[in-house]
Amino acid sequence: MMDFEKLIATRRSHRVFAEGDLSASQVQLILRAALMSPTSRNQRAWQFIVVDDPSDLAKLADAKEQGAAFIKDAALAVVVAGNPTQNDCWVEDGSIAAFAMQLQAEDVGLASCWVQIRGRRLSDGTTAAEVVRGILNIPEEIDVLCIVAFGRPHAPLRPHNDENLLWENVHPEKYE
């Protein structure tokens, strides 16, 4: 296990994956991280749909106009969803869970990338969430936040560099 300082510096968004499946224990660790993530009022209103079928991964890669094509080459995708009527903080809770999965993947040497679905549309006006719901038979009352693609890293990416941090976006107690 990496120390957190190294983990947060080395976690990068990988859009190219090497061939190879993930082990059952790696998948379980990733999902465990999601299920252990904090939620508003401990309601755990999120849902996680695990996709490893190549045909479904290819279909999910076309769920929106841009920024999802690499899903087809992932070994696994986890659709993060929630029921807005169950908890008004489902987006925040799902976001935390998605990032927890990404950190866990990085910790075991895997690559990942977040694909935004909520609020995205195809050129014909169809929402990306509708496309994902149709592919995976997700009930209408469940909304889709994102898809996190996982796989083996194709190539190492450089860690984040302290010189590129935007410290000017950090403000003292009173915003100036």
Side-chain angles (χ1 to χ4, degrees):
M1 176 178 359
M2 284 186 228
D3 66 64
F4 190 76
E5 183 178 4
K6 182 177 180 187
L7 178 65
I8 202 71
T10 57
R11 199 233 48 92
R12 301 300 298 258
S13 294
H14 290 255
R15 292 174 182 84
V16 178
F17 300 103
E19 288 188 28
D21 293 332
L22 308 187
S23 72
S25 63
Q26 289 171 322
V27 174
Q28 185 176 15
L29 280 172
I30 290 168
L31 295 171
R32 182 176 181 266
L35 294 170
M36 293 181 97
S37 66
T39 63
S40 173
R41 299 183 300 275
N42 201 29
Q43 288 191 349
R44 302 175 184 169
W46 24 234
Q47 301 287 319
F48 306 104
I49 301 92
V50 181
V51 181
D52 62 2
D53 177 74
S55 174
D56 287 337
L57 291 168
K59 291 174 191 173
L60 291 174
D62 292 328
K64 63 182 206 166
E65 300 290 329
Q66 297 177 1
F70 58 87
I71 295 173
K72 72 182 178 313
D73 298 321
L76 177 83
V78 177
V79 176
V80 180
N83 186 336
T85 63
Q86 184 180 353
N87 184 332
D88 66 336
C89 294
W90 76 273
V91 171
E92 293 83 354
D93 293 348
S95 298
I96 294 167
F99 192 56
M101 288 189 286
Q102 289 188 277
L103 289 175
Q104 182 62 72
E106 182 69 34
D107 192 52
V108 295
L110 298 175
S112 69
C113 191
W114 171 299
V115 177
Q116 180 68 23
I117 297 298
R118 184 174 172 269
R120 301 301 186 255
R121 297 183 175 278
L122 295 174
S123 59
D124 67 2
T126 305
T127 68
E130 289 175 75
V131 174
V132 173
R133 269 196 222 94
I135 295 166
L136 301 174
N137 298 316
I138 299 171
E140 188 67 30
E141 67 272 8
I142 303 297
D143 205 356
V144 179
L145 171 65
C146 67
I147 301 170
V148 184
F150 297 95
R152 301 206 173 277
H154 174 70
L157 300 179
R158 283 182 286 154
H160 290 281
N161 185 328
D162 281 354
E163 288 94 45
N164 294 332
L165 298 179
L166 299 178
W167 285 103
E168 63 272 17
N169 291 350
V170 178
H171 304 280
E173 181 178 328
K174 295 185 179 168
Y175 190 87
E176 297 174 3

